[in-house]
Amino acid sequence: MSLKKNIIANYVSQIYVTAIGILILPYYIEYMGAEAYGLVGFFVLLQAWFNLLDLGLTPTISRETARFKSGATTPLGFRQIYRALNVIFFIIALVGGLSLYLLSEVVARRWLNFDSLDMNNVIFSVKIMALTVAFRWLCGLYRGVITGSESLVWLSYFNIVMATLRSLGVFVVMFEFGFTIFTFFVYQLIIAFVETSVLFNKSRTLLPPINSNLEAIGWSLKPLLPVLKFSMTIAFTASIWVLVTQTDKLVLSNVLPLAEYGYFTLAVLVAGGIMIISGPISNAVLPRMTSLFAQNKNIEMLNVYHSATQLVAIIGGAAAITIFFSAESLLFAWTGDKHLSEAVAPILRLYVIGNSFLIITSFPYYLQYAKGNLKYHLYGNFIFAGILLPAIVLVAKYYGAVGAGYTWVIINLLFLTFWVGFIHYKIEPGLHLKWLFNNVILVCIPAVCVGYITHHIVFEPVTRLDNFYVVISTGMPVFLTSLFFSPIARKILGEKYFNKVMS
């Protein structure tokens, strides 16, 4: 499967999954109530924190699958690694899910702040969350095999189906059995079980065949020892990633009333769309760059690196700039709630800008991942967490969501400004300035100027449809400007135009 098809398939699925997840949010609030939706937001938070138990195993199996595909690992060696990781994943899912299940009453009574919800229903919901989160986390191993095999088109279709069942299917069920948190979370548990089962079976079809009479797979940790250093480095950096991206949400889930936390979650999920933009590209790029490096094709690997950065800057940068300048219009066109739009817009603006810095800052990690040396990524995340975590905890407690948003923007900007250049200097000397200027600055700065001008000349919106037009009127010029100033986009479009003229 070509890299282009994988990226397109990833984007189609991610756009669909993100869009359906975001568009459905006002209906959750309308039918279930703000407090109940705050509980749904807490469920999303638990899934993120559960990733701390990953221990770097998901990226490890993905990388080992890509290495096997490129001939760097034998079929037996790969099957032994898969078997070892399968057992480890199951044990961690069991222990983690059970621990959260046993702590459900403590979480409901001592952490969450709610008024109208029934305590017993909340305790039951947290128990169901524990089981659901364990199932969905277990999917990571099987997704890792599928991603490493570059079977991303199949995975994209599957993600679309599951997102439809989770987001739209739940309404069909709740219309029948009632719009309660009980119905919502029981349904999510059933869907999580189905998802895990299908992914498990799909990953099994991608495993290489071996002669069981001559080669015994067995079970041992020994096959993992050669990749243990890489796995533990990934584990630490993944843990830091969860800490730096979720600490503010964890603190605010205790500080804010559950209804207000629901509105905060809404803003963060919309801003999180910027983060999701880089996901399809990283899923396609990581195995490809790893494979190219394993084949000593460094120039080809760097070309993929440049192209991927620029693609994220075009799409992610344009989306972030559009949302920043038209946040209130976007929220009102979406929800029809003027008060909600005015309250959430400042938070949305801050988090969307902070996230846009972060998706560009993530790229040096891809380069280090492909080379199998995450030393500087480890150091950087340690420094980043050491600055961000105490700042977020302190500011969030005293200044709430807006204070946390300002902290998020400032620290991500500092990290992008100073640390990324240092990493490039260490692992690929001479790369940084060309990478930053051609792929990021040249694409984004003109788009910011166009967004600013457009924002001040569009008409004053009144209705929801007017506000929708404001978003479109801001977004289209911003995106076209990003596309026009992109060297790679101009080259591709120029070649297509030339070929069309010649034909």
Side-chain angles (χ1 to χ4, degrees):
M1 184 63 65
S2 71
L3 181 63
K4 180 181 177 180
K5 288 183 179 179
N6 281 338
I7 290 178
I8 291 173
N10 270 321
Y11 258 116
V12 170
S13 69
Q14 286 286 9
I15 289 172
Y16 178 84
V17 170
T18 303
I20 196 172
I22 291 175
L23 291 174
I24 210 73
L25 294 184
Y27 298 101
Y28 284 139
I29 297 175
E30 179 181 349
Y31 287 102
M32 297 176 66
E35 271 197 343
Y37 178 68
L39 200 59
V40 175
F42 184 71
F43 170 55
V44 174
L45 176 70
L46 285 181
Q47 293 182 76
W49 279 92
F50 206 85
N51 287 332
L52 286 172
L53 300 177
D54 187 87
L55 303 177
L57 302 179
T58 298
T60 297
I61 190 61
S62 181
R63 186 172 189 272
E64 290 306 307
T65 305
R67 281 167 48 80
F68 165 72
K69 288 293 184 179
S70 65
T73 305
T74 65
L76 178 61
F78 176 68
R79 290 290 296 268
Q80 289 174 332
I81 290 175
Y82 175 82
R83 172 75 62 84
L85 289 177
N86 213 348
V87 174
I88 292 172
F89 259 79
F90 180 79
I91 293 173
I92 293 176
L94 181 63
V95 173
L98 183 60
S99 299
L100 185 57
Y101 184 93
L102 295 175
L103 290 170
S104 58
E105 186 168 349
V106 175
V107 171
R109 293 186 184 278
R110 299 187 180 181
W111 187 265
L112 300 174
N113 300 311
F114 53 90
D115 296 317
S116 61
L117 296 178
D118 179 73
M119 176 62 72
N120 291 329
N121 283 339
V122 173
I123 294 173
F124 177 80
S125 296
V126 176
K127 288 180 178 179
I128 297 299
M129 286 183 204
L131 301 177
T132 306
V133 167
F135 273 119
R136 294 195 65 182
W137 178 82
L138 192 59
C139 293
L141 173 67
Y142 312 128
R143 288 183 185 276
V145 174
I146 296 168
T147 299
S149 299
E150 298 193 49
S151 299
L152 298 178
V153 173
W154 181 91
L155 187 59
S156 298
Y157 289 139
F158 179 73
N159 288 339
I160 289 173
V161 172
M162 295 312 300
T164 303
L165 291 175
R166 278 196 300 268
S167 299
L168 295 182
V170 69
F171 277 96
V172 176
V173 174
M174 287 196 293
F175 269 114
E176 179 67 25
F177 296 100
F179 289 89
T180 65
I181 54 177
F182 175 88
T183 304
F184 178 87
F185 286 112
V186 169
Y187 176 82
Q188 296 301 327
L189 175 60
I190 295 171
I191 294 300
F193 176 76
V194 172
E195 181 178 16
T196 305
S197 301
V198 174
L199 288 173
F200 169 75
N201 286 304
K202 176 61 178 180
S203 68
R204 295 281 298 176
T205 66
L206 297 173
L207 298 179
I210 62 170
N211 189 333
S212 58
N213 295 323
L214 301 176
E215 300 175 305
I217 299 175
W219 187 86
S220 171
L221 291 176
K222 187 176 179 180
L224 294 178
L225 295 180
V227 297
L228 189 61
K229 180 180 178 182
F230 179 83
S231 181
M232 289 300 100
T233 303
I234 285 281
F236 180 81
T237 54
S239 299
I240 295 296
W241 175 261
V242 172
L243 290 173
V244 300
T245 58
Q246 302 298 325
T247 296
D248 55 342
K249 302 166 187 63
L250 180 64
V251 173
L252 290 169
S253 71
N254 177 246
V255 172
L256 299 177
L258 204 53
E260 291 184 29
Y261 184 72
Y263 291 132
F264 166 76
T265 302
L266 185 147
V268 171
L269 285 176
V270 176
I274 301 300
M275 302 285 292
I276 294 173
I277 284 173
S278 64
I281 293 180
S282 65
N283 288 339
V285 163
L286 284 176
R288 181 59 57 89
M289 289 179 62
T290 301
S291 179
L292 289 171
F293 184 77
Q295 298 173 60
N296 295 317
K297 297 180 178 180
N298 198 61
I299 295 177
E300 290 87 344
M301 181 192 70
L302 290 178
N303 287 337
V304 172
Y305 184 64
H306 281 290
S307 300
T309 307
Q310 200 166 137
L311 182 58
V312 167
I314 293 171
I315 302 174
I321 294 165
T322 300
I323 294 174
F324 178 82
F325 285 114
S326 58
E328 195 169 323
S329 292
L330 174 64
L331 290 167
F332 184 74
W334 174 35
T335 66
D337 188 327
K338 189 68 173 177
H339 173 72
L340 180 149
S341 303
E342 292 174 350
V344 173
I347 305 170
L348 176 58
R349 288 192 181 96
L350 292 170
Y351 272 92
V352 80
I353 292 301
N355 288 350
S356 68
F357 293 148
L358 187 60
I359 60 174
I360 300 300
T361 303
S362 300
F363 268 89
Y365 163 75
Y366 305 153
L367 194 57
Q368 294 170 83
Y369 177 99
K371 294 188 174 186
N373 182 3
L374 296 174
K375 178 175 68 174
Y376 295 111
H377 184 68
L378 181 68
Y379 295 159
N381 277 275
F382 186 77
I383 295 170
F384 189 48
I387 297 172
L388 180 67
L389 295 183
I392 284 285
V393 171
L394 181 64
V395 173
K397 284 187 175 181
Y398 289 99
Y399 299 100
V402 173
Y406 274 111
T407 306
W408 183 241
V409 170
I410 292 170
I411 294 179
N412 274 290
L413 177 59
L414 292 175
F415 198 69
L416 174 61
T417 303
F418 297 105
W419 186 251
V420 171
F422 175 77
I423 294 176
H424 280 150
Y425 171 75
K426 287 292 186 179
I427 65 175
E428 200 69 44
L431 171 69
H432 181 66
L433 290 179
K434 181 180 178 181
W435 173 84
L436 184 63
F437 181 78
N438 289 336
N439 301 321
V440 182
I441 295 176
L442 191 61
V443 172
C444 293
I445 295 301
V448 170
C449 297
V450 170
Y452 178 82
I453 294 171
T454 305
H455 173 69
H456 285 84
I457 63 175
V458 294
F459 62 91
E460 187 69 23
V462 177
T463 66
R464 293 178 69 175
L465 187 59
D466 289 344
N467 281 273
F468 175 74
Y469 286 146
V470 167
V471 177
I472 297 299
S473 299
T474 303
M476 286 304 297
V478 167
F479 176 73
L480 293 175
T481 302
S482 299
L483 205 62
F484 178 79
F485 281 91
S486 163
I488 292 177
R490 288 203 309 272
K491 180 181 178 182
I492 293 174
L493 293 175
E495 288 177 353
K496 287 186 176 181
Y497 177 76
F498 177 77
N499 292 335
K500 183 177 180 180
V501 171
M502 293 300 294
S503 62

